[in-house]
Amino acid sequence: MKSNWKVLVLIALLSSAVTLGAYNLLGFNKRDVVFTESSTGSPLSRLASLTGNAPTGAPGDFSYAAESATPTVVHIRTTMTRTVRQQQMPDIFREFFGDEFGGQGQGGGRPRREQGQASGSGVIISKDGYIVTNNHVVQDADEVEVIMTDKRSFKAKVIGTDPLTDLAVVKIEATNLPSITLGDSDGLKLGEWVLAVGYPLDLESTVTAGIVSAKGRGIGILSRNQQPQQPGAKPVDTPIESFIQTDAAINPGNSGGALVNLRGELVGINSAIASATGYYSGYGFAVPVSLVKKVTADLVKFGNVQRGYIGILPRELDSKVAQEVGAKVGRGIYVESVTENGAAKAAGIQKGDVIVKMEGQPLDSDAQMREVVGRRRPGDVLNVTINRGGTERDVKLELRNRNGGRDVIKKEELASSTMKALGGEFANLSDKERQALGISGGIGIRVTKILDGKLAETEIEEGFIITKANGKNVKSVKDLETIVGSVKEGEGLLLIGMYPNSSRMIYYAVPM
């Protein structure tokens, strides 16, 4: 019995020794690998364990990022006015029953103004009240209201919009606001955890989690009405789609909200979902913050986005296209044509070249190339690698503006030159004139003179009252200038309005 007792003691001592040896060997006795608030008192230390930077590599919970980002994401509500025409009574019924039939004597058939509301999200990017959101959240809005997480409400002013990236900037009059930290979307990795923060389905602030499913994704949502560029033609503005794809749940109302990494940094602005029902089906898309930084800076500083142009007609390569065009490589951007006096031609790029790298990054898609260029302004120089006949060479490409120059074009300059091409003189309406015309909502301007320009190519006559241009309300001549200045080359201008003493709305398409 005594010998058995000695054996048991020996086994226990050996087991303890093995355990202690393994504990020291694996480094568990080192205090600096444990990231807890009680041991370090530092949120960054706690964060390391959550983001996988700690030795354990466990993702943990997402509370740090959620708590950091939520106060910077706001609810945006917009009010817009639209024209609804009541159905005109057919002449045959009017002959039998008179104009009083169906309410015709009370203005039946005349256009009626109705107000609608929409909802989205936004992200505070500066302490003095600048907020980034989606263009489609505030587009055509008459009023924009921003509601903070602490329930404070502000009227917002739209500083600028960019339909080509679906981004917009609004401003509220406030100080010392919580603002988000801008992160690095280039550094995102596939499979990395991200959170989507916003106000989906008109709910209160909501956080959902997922991973980065893909990068540089083009889904064609901004290019649906885009006219194809013709070979050799002057470059036109093209939508930039290089979305971050995530499986974090994104629903209507999330638009304009934040996509953040686990450090609580903004990596994207949630913009779209891929769904047959209009609700979350597993795929969401966000504009990368690398593009958000540049677009928002331009809108605040210049009032419009300063775009640089390469001056080529691009074609994305794959093995099939490479065989078709006789390219020596199967990946990159094939140059179908170059624009005369464009940046590419000045850099020595020729038809048939393949752009394989930009700024040292291998090019796999047209969307990726447009994002790289979209971050730059006219006059910026890009390092480009081309493959010509199987041989690579590096060239310096200086981007041009839409007029072929190297300078930035301010919003006022762009609108002024485009209005001059429109060829007309206009005047604002007084409230008394609007009342006489039966127009409400403060809209409408009068065409006072037709000059030698685009208007002269249409059937518009002097005296025509313009109420809408390209779907946007026109309340002043300044409004028309702004809308005309945003028309992309190769597109048209759709004017809606009426003539005095007539309630019939007339549509005029003006080629630009």
Side-chain angles (χ1 to χ4, degrees):
M1 188 71 179
K2 291 182 179 180
S3 60
N4 288 340
W5 176 80
K6 291 179 180 179
V7 171
L8 291 173
V9 171
L10 180 61
I11 291 174
L13 289 172
L14 287 174
S15 299
S16 299
V18 170
T19 301
L20 289 171
Y23 184 82
N24 288 312
L25 181 64
L26 295 175
F28 292 141
N29 64 327
K30 298 178 182 179
R31 294 179 182 273
D32 58 356
V33 300
V34 181
F35 294 90
T36 64
E37 292 192 31
S38 59
S39 62
T40 66
S42 169
L44 292 178
S45 300
R46 173 191 170 203
L47 178 62
S49 65
L50 300 183
T51 57
N53 294 326
T56 60
D61 62 45
F62 307 124
S63 59
Y64 179 86
E67 291 169 4
S68 299
T70 298
T72 71
V73 181
V74 300
H75 193 185
I76 296 180
R77 289 178 176 168
T78 60
T79 302
M80 58 202 70
T81 306
R82 60 178 182 173
T83 300
V84 178
R85 284 192 59 82
Q86 296 175 332
Q87 185 174 0
Q88 188 80 15
M89 185 177 67
D91 289 340
I92 187 171
F93 291 106
R94 187 182 297 110
E95 290 177 6
F96 281 96
F97 299 105
D99 285 343
E100 297 299 321
F101 178 77
Q104 195 71 16
Q106 283 73 42
R110 294 178 64 85
R112 178 166 46 90
R113 306 292 292 172
E114 283 189 354
Q115 279 196 334
Q117 292 185 327
S119 176
S121 305
V123 185
I124 304 172
I125 55 175
S126 72
K127 293 182 180 297
D128 57 348
Y130 284 99
I131 298 168
V132 62
T133 183
N134 283 142
N135 171 67
H136 73 261
V137 171
V138 298
Q139 187 177 22
D140 298 332
D142 297 318
E143 294 181 0
V144 179
E145 181 186 15
V146 168
I147 305 168
M148 312 282 290
T149 54
D150 60 8
K151 307 299 183 182
R152 285 185 295 165
S153 176
F154 299 88
K155 294 295 183 184
K157 176 184 178 181
V158 177
I159 299 299
T161 62
D162 182 38
L164 298 182
T165 55
D166 195 25
L167 293 173
V169 175
V170 302
K171 175 80 163 58
I172 61 176
E173 296 303 320
T175 57
N176 296 321
L177 296 174
S179 60
I180 203 161
T181 300
L182 303 184
D184 177 19
S185 52
D186 291 340
L188 281 178
K189 297 177 181 179
L190 297 184
E192 182 176 341
W193 284 102
V194 286
L195 304 182
V197 187
Y199 292 78
L201 308 175
D202 216 21
L203 297 172
E204 295 292 325
S205 180
T206 301
V207 180
T208 57
I211 62 169
V212 175
S213 307
K215 295 171 62 178
R217 188 72 88 199
I219 58 177
I221 192 169
L222 303 180
S223 309
R224 289 175 180 171
N225 300 318
Q226 182 72 17
Q227 297 296 321
Q229 184 177 333
Q230 299 302 317
K234 187 177 179 180
V236 297
D237 290 336
T238 305
I240 301 174
E241 290 192 12
S242 188
F243 293 117
I244 300 166
Q245 181 179 320
T246 177
D247 63 352
I250 296 174
N251 273 297
N254 270 119
S255 292
L259 188 72
V260 302
N261 58 26
L262 292 195
R263 291 181 292 278
E265 300 167 338
L266 183 72
V267 292
I269 294 295
N270 300 320
S271 295
I273 57 177
S275 170
T277 64
Y279 295 95
Y280 176 69
S281 296
Y283 303 100
F285 302 91
V287 181
V289 75
S290 58
L291 197 57
V292 174
K293 291 177 184 178
K294 192 266 181 181
V295 171
T296 54
D298 281 359
L299 291 176
V300 171
K301 186 175 182 179
F302 304 109
N304 63 324
V305 178
Q306 301 299 316
R307 289 196 161 82
Y309 298 88
I310 304 177
I312 66 170
L313 180 62
R315 188 175 183 185
E316 188 175 312
L317 276 185
D318 55 26
S319 57
K320 183 178 180 180
V321 175
Q323 184 177 9
E324 178 186 329
V325 300
K328 301 296 183 182
V329 290
R331 297 172 66 182
I333 303 298
Y334 179 77
V335 179
E336 289 269 17
S337 67
V338 295
T339 303
E340 289 296 326
N341 302 318
K345 192 173 183 65
I349 296 176
Q350 303 174 5
K351 172 180 167 56
D353 288 345
V354 178
I355 302 175
V356 293
K357 289 182 182 179
M358 270 189 177
E359 294 295 293
Q361 300 179 33
L363 286 185
D364 292 321
S365 67
D366 183 46
Q368 181 188 2
M369 180 187 71
R370 294 190 188 282
E371 184 194 353
V372 173
V373 176
R375 301 182 200 176
R376 274 77 179 178
R377 298 186 176 99
D380 289 349
V381 176
L382 286 174
N383 298 307
V384 176
T385 302
I386 63 171
N387 186 296
R388 181 178 295 167
T391 302
E392 287 192 357
R393 63 183 68 187
D394 296 325
V395 298
K396 299 283 188 182
L397 189 148
E398 185 181 21
L399 297 175
R400 305 285 180 88
N401 61 31
R402 65 186 298 168
N403 297 328
R406 297 169 178 82
D407 300 325
V408 299
I409 303 176
K410 293 186 177 181
K411 187 175 183 179
E412 296 78 11
E413 298 171 0
L414 184 63
S416 177
S417 62
T418 313
M419 281 292 286
K420 186 176 180 180
L422 186 60
E425 293 181 2
F426 310 89
N428 295 328
L429 296 180
S430 66
D431 291 338
K432 186 175 181 180
E433 288 175 315
R434 290 190 180 97
Q435 186 177 6
L437 292 167
I439 299 175
S440 59
I443 63 172
I445 65 172
R446 188 188 305 274
V447 179
T448 59
K449 194 172 184 179
I450 304 291
L451 304 173
D452 186 17
K454 299 296 183 181
L455 287 181
E457 300 175 15
T458 71
E459 296 180 357
I460 293 178
E461 299 177 3
E462 294 177 5
F464 182 65
I465 307 298
I466 300 172
T467 57
K468 276 182 177 287
N470 280 0
K472 297 181 179 180
N473 291 331
V474 178
K475 297 183 177 181
S476 65
V477 176
K478 188 69 176 177
D479 284 349
L480 181 63
E481 289 179 358
T482 301
I483 297 167
V484 169
S486 66
V487 175
K488 299 185 286 291
E489 187 171 348
E491 292 189 350
L493 180 69
L494 181 63
L495 299 178
I496 303 176
M498 56 187 287
Y499 286 98
N501 304 319
S502 172
S503 63
R504 187 165 63 96
M505 286 292 175
I506 302 175
Y507 298 70
Y508 286 113
V510 183
M512 297 298 290

